[in-house]
Amino acid sequence: MTHKTVRIGGLTRVEGEGGLVVHARDGRITGLELRIYEPPRFFEALLRGRGHTEPPDITARICGICPVAYQMSACQAIEAACGAEVTGPLRDLRLLLYYGEWIESHALHIYLLHAPDFLGYDSGIALAADRRDLVERGLALKKAGNELIAVIGGRPIHPVNVRVGGFYRVPARAELAPVAERLRRARDDALATVAWVAGFDFPDVEHDYRFLALSHPEEYAILSGRVATMMTAGDGRGTPEGFAVEDWPEHVTEEQVPHSTALHARLDGESGYLVGALARYALNAARLSPLAREAAAAAGLGPVCRNPFRAIVVRAVEIVHACDEALRILDGYTEPDRPSVPVEPRPGVGHGASEAPRGTLYHRYRLDEDGLVAEADIVPPTAQNQARIEADLRDLLAPRLAPGLDPPEAELAALCERAIRNHDPCISCSAHFLDFRLDRG
Amino acid sequence: MDEPAPRLAVWKFASCDGCQLTLLDCEDELLSVAARLEIAYFLEASSAPGPGPYDLSLVEGSITTPEDLERIRHVRRVSRRLVTIGACATAGGVQALRDFAGVKEFASVVYARPDYIATLDRSTPISAHVPVDFELRGCPIDRRQLLEVISAFLAGRRPVVPAHSVCVECKARGNVCVMVAHGTPCLGPVTQAGCGALCPSFNRGCYGCFGPMESPNAAGLNHWLRGLGMSTPELVRIYRTYHATTEPFRRAAEEAEEHE
């Protein structure tokens, strides 16, 4: 009997800390554990007893890469609990802020974390030694996103201007003009990015996924919508179904697994669904901006993309969309007459979900009679994807661990890291990365 | 022959990654920094971690697990200069709120099987465990201050970072005082400068994300804040957020409670 263990130690170019242990016996995988050993920070516990205005600032601290997502889901959940709604120009400003985060986060992931995998570099900085022009384009793109966040939110990491009900101060039209100028250049850079990444050499892998993403009748959903799900069959088609965000707890449950500080989420009792760029694209591609749709078609994406390695192309298309939509809002921007709508606390429960760059982020708060948070529940994208990432890894490793084959562990570890990075996991959110161990016996 | 470039390492403990991301957010300067320093260990940015020793270690995050207690001692052993970046590494971070509640209760709220979770009772700053050469404040740190710390290291001098209050930055920026003019509660008078007085520039009060200034008079500020209608629980919460365990903010919260 042969017994194999693959071990990845300190997964790199991801946000947070994690590892992977694979056990194989006689060419069969007997165990595979994506281990998230990010130390738990207990946000859901420390939110108890805080005022109803506090979760947007506090939960931003869950993740330095997508603080806006935390702020948006938190605001919407609390507003829902209090019977308030943010609409019109204030909602447009929230969208703008969120597009900024999409642009900077996707540009960071594509240029500094993910693209080096396809080009044989250890980092974006190593890539810059040979192709400085490319990395500079990525950094310019990222900067455009960060500037959009800064002009509305004050700073790119943990913006200060977001409040329950809207904003503390709304930007004057003149403040936004320089950002619009930069975003026009960013849109060209984003189109060039799609063409660049579409030309990478992709492993020939396709999975049947059960996708979950927000869906909105008029928008490529980011800020709000219903929760849509879709099972891709062998031909890559499926049926979108949906449920309201407030029905989330009836459909999505979390369970703890011993090998991870991040919880595993299940959808209608089944584990292994996928959120993020591939899911959003499959469910909402028809509502991408015309320019983004053209870019997707030119990149050969089709209506549904089932090759996780090509998620980098979908992210690039999403940057085009974000630049395009942000420009559309900026061109029509008129200063809202008030920076926020009043949100009076009342006892009750509110649910909020939005599309973080890595996937659907759900928050639920119960407020007590004093308007304080009595209970908080936060379901981050990586916790939802963890089981599906494990399934991706099983599918990739199984044929390579067959009897008679003995690929070097370093090669397997590198492949697994790549497969994990396809999903841009934010491990700090979920409870960092990758410690790879293969136990071959 | 040229001297070899100094070797930089970036380490992460319990944190949100925001402070190390600040280095990648130096879009205009990142490639010039990379040309002056060898980025020898930076898991978030590179798959080729190189062995120590390192000339400069930037440490993000607080110590919350038995393993991390060991790991920070290792980081100190392999680092010539050790600089902590951000509220978690310099003050324990928002996760230090466990110190006021008890970690067992916290774990049981989040996890069905808290026994699977290895965690310490308290979230402590790096300086509680090993000598630290410099502490950079902020939740998150400020990009310009990070560049100042790196430039100072390269020049072999002490970083120039102000210890005065946010109020000084606010005046320099020409802001109207949100507390005096609008009656908005603000921690600016007791909070260390560094952000550029961001919150008051957005018509909100400072919420203390750079931690206490050099010589804060929190008791005096509490008197003002009460006058603006803040209740005792609100006062306690405003100090017990991102720098709850720092001595001045801890005392300010206690003072508020005793006043009751």
Side-chain angles (χ1 to χ4, degrees):
Chain A
M1 188 168 101
T2 65
H3 175 207
K4 247 178 186 179
T5 305
V6 180
R7 181 179 189 275
I8 298 183
L11 182 69
T12 58
R13 280 186 282 137
V14 295
E15 327 295 351
E17 295 185 356
L20 176 66
V21 179
V22 184
H23 299 277
R25 275 186 183 71
D26 298 329
R28 216 167 48 81
I29 295 174
T30 52
L32 186 148
E33 293 175 355
L34 182 62
R35 294 186 167 174
I36 290 181
Y37 51 79
E38 179 81 16
R41 295 192 289 147
F42 306 112
F43 275 87
E44 287 151 321
L46 62 83
L47 283 161
R48 292 176 156 209
R50 308 297 298 205
H52 78 293
T53 57
E54 296 184 72
D57 288 323
I58 292 177
T59 60
R61 269 69 187 182
I62 292 175
C63 180
I65 293 90
C66 54
V68 173
Y70 280 87
Q71 295 186 323
M72 293 298 115
S73 290
C75 283
Q76 302 203 54
I78 292 160
E79 287 153 12
C82 302
E85 204 181 350
V86 172
T87 57
L90 283 176
R91 184 177 185 277
D92 282 349
L93 265 179
R94 282 188 166 174
L95 268 171
L96 268 179
L97 183 72
Y98 219 144
Y99 287 134
E101 178 157 289
W102 270 41
I103 296 167
E104 68 81 17
S105 176
H106 278 357
L108 169 78
H109 185 252
I110 291 172
Y111 280 88
L112 293 178
L113 310 183
H114 205 191
D117 276 343
F118 296 93
L119 306 169
Y121 291 90
D122 292 320
S123 69
I125 289 158
L127 170 63
D130 294 338
R131 289 301 308 273
R132 194 176 171 108
D133 57 320
L134 286 175
V135 176
E136 284 183 339
R137 183 175 72 199
L139 290 170
L141 203 45
K142 183 164 162 301
K143 186 173 173 173
N146 275 338
E147 287 191 349
L148 184 55
I149 303 174
V151 73
I152 299 165
R155 62 184 172 198
I157 301 170
H158 309 331
V160 302
N161 191 27
V162 172
R163 73 187 293 175
V164 171
F167 297 90
Y168 290 91
R169 176 171 82 76
V170 291
R173 199 177 158 78
E175 287 178 85
L176 296 173
V179 191
E181 198 44 51
R182 186 180 284 277
L183 276 174
R184 269 182 259 282
R185 291 199 300 273
R187 184 167 54 184
D188 293 340
D189 284 343
L191 285 167
T193 304
V194 176
W196 175 54
V197 297
F200 288 171
D201 189 12
F202 295 104
D204 192 16
V205 176
E206 293 208 317
H207 299 298
D208 284 333
Y209 284 117
R210 185 163 190 198
F211 288 133
L212 181 149
L214 291 180
S215 187
H216 188 282
E218 286 129 39
E219 299 167 355
Y220 188 83
I222 291 184
L223 190 55
S224 55
R226 280 172 69 81
V227 183
T229 66
M230 174 200 244
M231 179 70 213
T232 61
D235 61 0
R237 296 188 181 279
T239 313
E241 302 150 26
F243 54 88
V245 172
E246 55 265 33
D247 294 332
W248 180 279
E250 288 164 34
H251 294 273
V252 180
T253 50
E254 286 184 295
E255 64 180 41
Q256 191 183 0
V257 292
H259 62 271
S260 174
T261 52
L263 303 172
H264 274 230
R266 299 165 78 93
L267 173 60
D268 295 327
E270 286 174 40
S271 74
Y273 68 98
L274 191 78
V275 299
L278 291 179
R280 285 191 294 255
Y281 181 81
L283 284 155
N284 302 316
R287 285 177 292 280
L288 282 167
S289 79
L291 189 66
R293 274 206 306 274
E294 272 172 44
L301 275 177
V304 173
C305 176
R306 299 165 54 239
N307 181 339
F309 290 88
R310 289 169 70 99
I312 192 170
V313 186
V314 179
R315 285 193 189 93
V317 166
E318 288 190 335
I319 303 182
V320 175
H321 174 80
C323 292
D324 222 19
E325 282 299 294
L327 281 164
R328 188 183 59 75
I329 294 173
L330 285 170
D331 287 343
Y333 178 76
T334 49
E335 210 176 307
D337 47 17
R338 53 181 180 175
S340 65
V341 298
V343 183
E344 290 306 323
R346 65 183 193 193
V349 175
H351 309 256
S354 69
E355 286 292 326
R358 298 157 187 82
T360 315
L361 167 63
Y362 166 83
H363 287 220
R364 177 179 64 88
Y365 299 96
R366 184 165 69 79
L367 302 180
D368 66 16
E369 301 71 35
D370 300 319
L372 301 177
V373 175
E375 271 173 43
D377 185 23
I378 297 170
V379 186
T382 300
Q384 299 177 67
N385 279 348
Q386 215 180 328
R388 182 57 238 187
I389 296 174
E390 287 182 351
D392 272 22
L393 293 171
R394 279 172 184 272
D395 290 354
L396 268 179
L397 285 173
R400 290 169 171 85
L401 293 174
L405 298 178
D406 197 16
E409 262 184 45
E411 191 185 298
L412 292 175
L415 182 70
C416 288
E417 281 212 1
R418 288 188 61 182
I420 293 164
R421 278 196 286 269
N422 287 336
H423 299 291
D424 189 11
C426 185
I427 304 173
S428 4
C429 309
S430 50
H432 235 177
F433 232 62
L434 186 65
D435 193 12
F436 184 89
R437 269 187 289 165
L438 172 62
D439 164 21
R440 310 177 201 234
Chain B
M1 219 177 114
D2 288 346
E3 287 274 307
R7 305 180 76 236
L8 172 74
V10 181
W11 308 91
K12 176 191 155 64
F13 291 85
S15 67
C16 78
D17 279 46
C19 291
Q20 54 176 313
L21 178 67
T22 304
L23 186 57
L24 299 177
D25 274 358
C26 297
E27 289 102 359
D28 294 334
E29 301 87 4
L30 179 63
L31 296 181
S32 359
V33 168
R36 296 282 309 275
L37 283 158
E38 178 195 343
I39 299 180
Y41 185 96
F42 189 2
L43 286 188
E44 181 172 312
S46 170
S47 296
Y54 310 97
D55 297 297
L56 174 63
S57 276
L58 299 175
V59 179
E60 171 190 285
S62 66
I63 303 301
T64 61
T65 67
E67 296 72 30
D68 282 353
L69 205 49
E70 290 305 311
R71 194 159 62 97
I72 190 59
R73 295 189 183 121
H74 165 74
V75 171
R76 180 68 263 190
R77 278 196 298 273
V78 296
S79 309
R80 194 159 66 85
R81 288 270 181 276
L82 190 158
V83 173
T84 60
I85 54 170
C88 299
T90 62
V94 69
Q95 56 271 14
L97 290 174
R98 70 180 65 184
D99 296 19
F100 301 89
V103 75
K104 284 201 178 66
E105 193 211 319
F106 267 32
S108 68
V109 169
V110 181
Y111 295 101
R113 291 290 305 267
D115 49 311
Y116 290 164
I117 305 295
T119 189
L120 299 170
D121 295 343
R122 296 174 61 211
S123 165
T124 41
I126 303 303
S127 63
H129 307 284
V130 296
V132 170
D133 297 295
F134 188 79
E135 295 186 313
L136 187 63
R137 301 276 203 87
C139 181
I141 56 170
D142 179 78
R143 193 175 58 81
R144 292 152 298 189
Q145 289 201 336
L146 177 63
L147 287 169
E148 163 60 17
V149 163
I150 293 172
S151 309
F153 168 78
L154 288 169
R157 62 171 173 81
R158 188 104 187 136
V160 180
V161 169
H164 55 236
S165 76
V166 169
C167 293
V168 176
E169 286 185 311
C170 216
K171 298 295 165 286
R173 206 167 160 155
N175 288 338
V176 168
C177 177
V178 296
M179 196 145 67
V180 173
H182 307 132
T184 304
C186 180
L187 285 191
V190 296
T191 299
Q192 180 173 299
C195 65
L198 267 183
C199 287
S201 308
F202 280 86
N203 291 341
R204 75 178 287 193
C206 164
Y207 61 89
C209 70
F210 273 61
M213 64 163 315
E214 204 171 36
S215 50
N217 178 4
L221 180 66
N222 281 358
H223 176 74
W224 265 81
L225 295 174
R226 280 185 191 284
L228 295 172
M230 278 185 89
S231 67
T232 296
E234 285 171 330
L235 272 171
V236 169
R237 291 205 305 269
I238 197 170
Y239 291 111
R240 281 191 193 151
T241 312
Y242 310 104
H243 291 80
T245 60
T246 61
E247 193 52 32
F249 281 12
R250 184 193 284 273
R251 272 212 316 270
E254 285 165 6
E255 194 270 345
E257 279 175 332
E258 284 159 15
H259 185 278
E260 183 70 4

